[in-house]
Amino acid sequence: MPSLSATDRARLPDSSFAYVDSQGRRRLPINDISHVRNALARFDQVDFEDDAARERARERLLRAAKKHGIVPLGFFDGQLRKARGANVRSLPRGTVTFLLTDIEGSTRLLERLGDDYAGLLRDVRTTIRTSVRASSGLEVDARADEFFAVFRRATHALDAALAIQRALQAKTWPQKADVRVRIGMHTGRPTLTDTGYVGIAVHIAARICYASHGGQILLSSAAHDAFTERLAEGIAFRSLGRFSLHGLAEPEALFQVNAADLRSKFPRPRTIGPLRSRTAGEGP
């Protein structure tokens, strides 16, 4: 796509930009996929009038990224830059299991619900947060319609994931909306610095969350291998095969969590690469 000339850019409406500052300068254009990628890369370089303005811009940019199918890993990499001191020290080190959630079709829900969307988002976050805490997990970050949690044990992360899907499935939503959450899990050994978790484990967890569908729980091969004890009755893992995930050098084996009381049929994972191989059946 050709770059916009200064004249063409000047003709764009304010709605084509993520933010207009007090001097009328239009910041972070997000009117196409190239601008969204640029805006994601430059977001932390922009001076906002206040935290509320920054958060409004952040949420609009994340919605634009989802619209264009962009996984904003930079946001996940920077998820703890504002959480220092005791918050960071309380997070587990060593081998941990990450759980990421994302509301499917959030832009459509926002357009449909209007002012009711804020309450819906608050209810979804409360449900997820309650399930995470009840399963001995710790919240890493929550922004826009994404939620990031960490667990010392993979079994606790699975307990939280199942509780989230069951609770959301049982709820009645405004205007009879169909609210579904994607969930991705990955186990790894990230580095915990004074600004938060860094490392490939964060990237893989984000990619797996993006690959899943609303109502689905997907695990990486590492998360799957972390389960050494017998699963609860009615719970099983289904191997989906190996997929190429954007930005990862090697295909990743993905496993779906099947539960007797939850939906189990979904389209193929949302990945950019072809299915490398497929293994049928379920395993422990």
Side-chain angles (χ1 to χ4, degrees), residues 28-179:
L28 299 172
I30 55 172
N31 53 291
D32 59 41
I33 191 168
S34 298
H35 285 133
V36 172
R37 291 187 184 282
N38 185 51
L40 286 168
R42 295 175 54 246
F43 188 84
D44 288 335
Q45 301 172 27
V46 175
D47 293 327
F48 293 92
E49 291 176 311
D50 51 41
D51 289 341
R54 186 182 189 84
E55 189 59 27
R56 287 195 300 271
R58 186 194 312 277
E59 293 192 4
R60 184 175 175 202
L61 183 53
L62 286 171
R63 289 197 298 270
K66 291 182 67 175
K67 176 182 177 182
H68 291 290
I70 300 170
V71 180
L73 288 178
F75 279 73
F76 288 115
D77 279 342
Q79 15 77 31
L80 281 176
R81 288 175 185 168
K82 63 180 180 181
R84 299 179 184 276
N87 289 339
V88 174
R89 289 195 297 272
S90 69
L91 296 175
R93 297 177 182 271
T95 300
V96 298
T97 297
F98 288 137
L99 182 150
L100 278 80
T101 74
D102 176 32
I103 299 176
E104 183 177 62
S106 58
T107 300
R108 293 192 301 274
L109 285 171
L110 175 61
E111 292 172 347
R112 174 182 173 183
L113 299 179
D115 292 342
D116 287 340
Y117 181 77
L120 181 147
L121 178 59
R122 185 167 54 250
D123 288 347
V124 171
R125 280 188 180 176
T126 298
T127 298
I128 295 172
R129 187 171 282 125
T130 299
S131 299
V132 166
R133 291 175 177 172
S135 301
S136 303
L138 293 173
E139 179 178 338
V140 177
D141 194 24
R143 57 185 59 187
D145 54 355
E146 289 103 6
F147 194 96
F148 186 11
V150 64
F151 298 79
R152 292 181 173 86
R153 297 181 60 193
T155 53
H156 291 165
L158 178 59
D159 289 343
L162 290 167
I164 291 167
Q165 297 293 24
R166 287 167 174 156
L168 294 178
Q169 180 177 267
K171 282 182 173 290
T172 300
W173 301 99
Q175 301 183 35
K176 298 182 178 179
D178 186 12
V179 179

Side-chain angles (χ1 to χ4, degrees), residues 194-239:
D194 59 355
T195 59
Y197 288 114
V198 296
I200 191 63
V202 179
H203 288 248
I204 294 175
R207 294 303 186 196
I208 292 174
C209 178
Y210 177 80
S212 65
H213 297 275
Q216 188 177 35
I217 304 169
L218 285 187
L219 279 69
S220 68
S221 58
H224 172 266
D225 293 345
F227 287 86
T228 56
E229 56 239 67
R230 187 179 182 87
L231 297 175
E233 184 176 355
I235 307 299
F237 295 141
R238 178 189 173 199
S239 174

